[in-house]
Amino acid sequence: MPHNPPNSHASPHARAFDLLVVGDVNPDIVVGPLDAPLAFGQREQLVDSGLLTLGGSAAIMACGAARLGLKVAFAGRVGDDEAGRFVVAALAARGVDTRAVRTDPALSTPLTVVVTRGDGDRTILTAPGTLAATRADDVPDALLGDCRHVHAASYFLMPHLARALPGLFRTAHDRGATTSLDTNDDPAGTWDKDGSLGLGALLAVTDILLPNAREARALAGLPEDAPLDTVAGQLAARGPLVVVKDGADGALAHNGRSAVRTSGIPARPLDTVGAGDSFDAGFVAAVLAGRSTADALELAAVCGALSTRAYGGTPAQPTWDEAHEAHQTHGAPAADAARTNTHRNGATLA
């Protein structure tokens, strides 16, 4: 796999940013591991560690991409409170441009508590705060024309923004940018089956869809035991290149015609919070560096695995050189498809 940096394939007409990330940012309080059920009745349970850190799928992805060498801007909404000031400072400290982060005068910054288990699973409790109020006009129009790629996350937590995303993505396309989406979980469990959020319209203008295996099956409306090839192929038929994260089993990409897989690299995770977001950052960075889908899948799996070396989503995110070295050392073989970035709809992301 060539070792060119992620911004080496930038257009001669350079834009200010490689990547604009739109979505959620909040403090994460990560505690665990807890290997017993959560106990109510005013019981106190002790765990080995606790951490206050930057959270939010979009924010973690933005930091991972900046760590990999991309020029990243973030657009979202926080409250006028200490939590909001904490996360904006944390983004800036990790090299993310925060000028498009809007401060809401009335609503609080979202807050998430993550309780981990020793087997890598976790439960997530979120007070949404400003999330439900985040809207299309929180994304400056000028930024859509001054970036190479637009990524959105936590789709189901921001219904106003979700309904506007097809328009935002179409504008990004019209201005020469590519797009990606990580829906994350749907707390309501409906997965837009009634079409009220317009997910179908969004997938039609999304270049890369980045769910995990459970989310992919839910989005496709297929059983929990449905083969991932079938699941990804069905979602790819709706427009995007579908890249499915499958934990310790690696990852799969499907372009609507064929699939490519990677087994990832061996890892003993300390904390899996944010690993999928670091995977997203790795995949987008690799694609923007001109890598094939197969190579991007391998590097993304490496980035996700390396991010689990520390507690919290951002402290252990790798640099481009670290990810490349880990890939060279451990290998992450991909197979079963042509090495191409060309999507079913003909779009090329290099």
Side-chain angles (χ1 to χ4, degrees), residues 2-268:
H3 191 195
N4 50 302
N7 54 10
S8 63
H9 279 63
S11 164
H13 307 289
R15 303 186 180 202
F17 299 102
D18 298 302
L19 172 65
L20 167 63
V21 181
V22 180
D24 55 329
V25 57
N26 54 264
D28 269 357
I29 301 172
V30 184
V31 294
L34 180 66
D35 291 319
L38 281 171
F40 289 87
Q42 303 184 49
R43 296 288 308 280
E44 184 164 353
Q45 295 170 277
L46 300 180
V47 294
D48 290 340
S49 69
L51 177 70
L52 172 64
T53 188
L54 180 66
S57 176
I60 294 172
M61 190 277 186
C63 291
R67 180 75 171 154
L68 289 167
L70 295 185
K71 296 177 181 177
V72 182
F74 189 91
R77 188 181 289 220
V78 298
D80 185 11
D81 49 31
E82 288 301 319
R85 288 182 279 276
F86 168 78
V87 295
V88 171
L91 282 169
R94 289 162 174 80
V96 177
D97 188 291
T98 62
R99 286 174 289 179
V101 179
R102 176 172 295 184
T103 300
D104 190 301
L107 297 172
S108 62
T109 300
L111 180 64
T112 292
V113 177
V114 181
V115 183
T116 66
R117 292 197 316 196
D119 61 4
D121 199 3
R122 59 189 181 270
T123 187
I124 303 170
L125 306 174
T126 294
T130 58
L131 290 179
T134 305
R135 300 174 182 271
D137 60 8
D138 290 332
V139 185
D141 185 70
L143 272 179
L144 293 172
D146 209 13
C147 64
R148 298 168 61 201
H149 186 88
V150 179
H151 177 80
S154 294
Y155 176 80
F156 294 105
L157 296 181
M158 294 174 287
H160 288 299
L161 180 63
R163 294 184 183 97
L165 277 177
L168 290 176
F169 275 18
R170 280 192 293 269
T171 299
H173 280 168
D174 290 345
R175 298 180 184 180
T178 47
T179 58
S180 59
L181 171 70
D182 189 342
T183 67
N184 303 105
D185 190 32
D186 179 8
T190 61
W191 301 94
D192 199 38
K193 292 300 186 291
D194 62 0
S196 60
L197 288 181
L199 181 61
L202 178 57
L203 293 182
V205 290
T206 297
D207 292 306
I208 310 170
L209 177 66
L210 292 151
N212 65 29
R214 186 185 63 82
E215 292 159 357
R217 291 182 174 103
L219 289 167
L222 293 177
E224 294 182 0
D225 59 351
L228 281 186
D229 282 21
T230 301
V231 172
Q234 181 170 312
L235 290 171
R238 301 173 72 179
L241 172 70
V242 178
V243 181
V244 182
K245 298 162 281 194
D246 197 19
D249 291 328
L252 160 73
H254 204 298
N255 65 4
R257 296 180 299 274
S258 58
V260 58
R261 291 179 174 274
T262 183
S263 59
I265 66 171
R268 293 183 178 179

